[in-house]
Amino acid sequence: MRTKLTMYETIKGIDDDDHQWREKKDIESALQISRSSFPPDKERLVSLDVFRGLTVALMILVDDAGGILPAINHSPWDGLTLADFVMPFFLFIVGVSLAFAYKNLSCRLAATRKASMRSLKLLLLGLFLQGGFIHGLNNLTYGIDVDKIRFMGILQRIAIAYLVAALCEMWLKGSHNVSSELSMIRKYRFHWMVAFVFTTIYLSLLYGLYVPDWEYQISSEDQGSSTFLNLKVKCGVRGHTGPGCNAVGMIDRMFLGIQHLYRKPVYARTKCKFSKQLAITSRRSFLVSSAF
C-alpha cells in the first residue's frame, strides 16, 4: 500500500510539474499574441526632447532677463541676438517632429483632419493669448477689442507653418526607401519644389513691389490732454528692406490693417535722427492744421 501510494505521489508530482509547465507556456504564448496584436510603443527621440526643454528654458530666460540685459533681447531690426533664436528653434522642433509623426500613415485623410484641428487649436490659442482680448489693467477695461485684435502673433505663425509642413509631409512625400543622398532628394523632391516656389514668391514681392508713402497715428499726452499725431513715412522706393519701407509691412497693412498688427513696431520705437525729424515735421503740420 505504501509502495502504491509512493508511486502515485511521484506520478502526481510529475503531472503537476507538467501541468504548471504547460500553463506557463500558455501564458507566455498568450502574452506574445497580445503583444503582437497591439502596436509597439512609440520611441521618443531623446535628443529632441532635450532640445525642446533647452529652448523653453531659453525662452523663459530672454523673456524675464531681456529687459535687464539688452544684449540678449530681440534685435530691433538688423542683427541677431540670443532671443532671435527661440522661434526658429521651435519651428525646427516642429519640423523634426512631423517627420516622425507622419512616417507611416494608415489613412491620409484622417491624419489631415487631425493636423487641421491641431493647427486650428494653436491658432485660436494664439489669438487668445496675443490677440489683445484684455484691453489693459491700468484702466480696468476688459473684453474683446475687435478693432485692435492682433491677427498674426507667434503662435498663429507657427500654426500656419505647421499645417503647411504637415500637408507636404503627408501628401507630397515619395514612397520609396532612402538608400543614398540622391534617393533622399528624389523622395522629397516635391518638398523642395514647394520651398522653391514660396521663396521665389517672397523674394519677388520683397524686391519687386513699389512701396509708396504712408501714415500712421500715435497718441501723445500733453498737459493732461491726449492728442493724436499723424506721422508720415516717406518711402517711394522699391526693394527696400528697412523697418518702415519694406514690401512685407505694406502687404500686412493692406490686408490685415495697421490696427491689427503689432502694437509696438520697430519703426515707431526706433530712436534715430530721421525719426526725430519726421516726428517734429509731423507735429508742426498737426499744430498748423489744428490752428486752422
Side-chain angles (χ1 to χ4, degrees):
M1 184 68 180
R2 290 180 179 178
T3 305
K4 292 182 179 180
L5 185 61
T6 304
M7 291 177 62
Y8 174 76
E9 289 177 353
T10 305
I11 295 172
K12 182 179 179 182
I14 295 173
D15 291 340
D16 289 341
D17 293 339
D18 183 70
H19 181 69
Q20 291 177 0
W21 180 82
R22 291 181 181 275
E23 285 185 349
K24 183 178 179 181
K25 296 298 291 184
D26 291 340
I27 293 174
E28 291 178 354
S29 301
L31 288 175
Q32 290 178 358
I33 295 174
S34 63
R35 288 171 184 171
S36 61
S37 61
F38 290 100
D41 297 334
K42 294 182 178 179
E43 296 182 0
R44 299 189 63 87
L45 188 60
V46 180
S47 59
L48 187 64
D49 291 334
V50 173
F51 186 68
R52 184 184 294 110
L54 293 176
T55 304
V56 172
L58 178 63
M59 179 186 65
I60 297 174
L61 174 65
V62 298
D63 285 344
D64 294 339
I68 303 175
L69 300 174
I72 67 173
N73 203 357
H74 285 287
S75 177
W77 192 255
D78 295 325
L80 186 66
T81 60
L82 190 61
D84 297 323
F85 285 101
V86 175
M87 185 176 178
F89 283 172
F90 276 120
L91 291 177
F92 174 79
I93 293 170
V94 170
V96 175
S97 301
L98 285 175
F100 287 95
Y102 302 121
K103 187 176 182 179
N104 298 316
L105 291 177
S106 58
C107 181
R108 292 183 178 181
L109 292 176
T112 302
R113 288 194 296 267
K114 186 176 180 180
S116 301
M117 289 301 300
R118 183 174 297 177
S119 178
L120 180 61
K121 292 177 182 178
L122 190 60
L123 184 69
L124 295 177
L125 181 62
L127 287 175
F128 178 75
L129 295 177
Q130 300 176 331
F133 278 71
I134 299 177
H135 292 195
L137 298 177
N138 296 328
N139 50 12
L140 297 179
T141 57
Y142 300 91
I144 301 176
D145 194 355
V146 180
D147 294 334
K148 297 181 180 180
I149 187 172
R150 184 186 178 190
F151 291 141
M152 296 303 296
I154 301 299
L155 294 180
Q156 295 94 307
R157 300 173 193 273
I158 294 179
I160 296 175
Y162 162 78
L163 182 61
V164 173
L167 294 177
C168 292
E169 186 67 18
M170 287 183 289
W171 293 97
L172 300 181
K173 183 174 63 175
S175 57
H176 55 277
N177 296 325
V178 176
S179 58
S180 62
E181 292 81 1
L182 185 60
S183 61
M184 171 74 75
I185 297 176
R186 190 182 301 113
K187 183 175 184 178
Y188 293 98
R189 60 186 182 276
F190 293 110
H191 292 66
W192 289 106
M193 292 175 60
V194 171
F196 177 77
V197 170
F198 283 165
T199 305
T200 303
I201 294 175
Y202 175 78
L203 293 177
S204 300
L205 295 176
L206 179 63
Y207 291 100
L209 287 180
Y210 175 79
V211 181
D213 300 343
W214 58 282
E215 296 181 356
Y216 69 97
Q217 192 178 71
I218 61 173
S219 61
S220 176
E221 293 185 1
D222 188 9
Q223 296 179 357
S225 61
S226 60
T227 58
F228 293 90
L229 300 178
N230 291 324
L231 302 182
K232 186 176 182 180
V233 182
K234 298 288 291 184
C235 292
V237 294
R238 191 188 306 271
H240 194 270
T241 57
C245 297
N246 62 82
V248 178
M250 183 189 68
I251 294 175
D252 289 341
R253 294 188 298 269
M254 183 182 301
F255 289 98
L256 300 177
I258 192 172
Q259 70 276 11
H260 298 296
L261 301 180
Y262 183 52
R263 304 283 180 83
K264 299 178 181 179
V266 64
Y267 59 80
R269 57 187 170 88
T270 301
K271 296 181 180 180
C272 60
K273 183 178 180 181
F274 175 75
S275 299
K276 291 180 180 179
Q277 291 178 352
L278 182 62
I280 293 173
T281 305
S282 302
R283 187 176 292 111
R284 287 176 180 174
S285 62
F286 171 77
L287 293 176
V288 172
S289 60
S290 62
F292 289 97

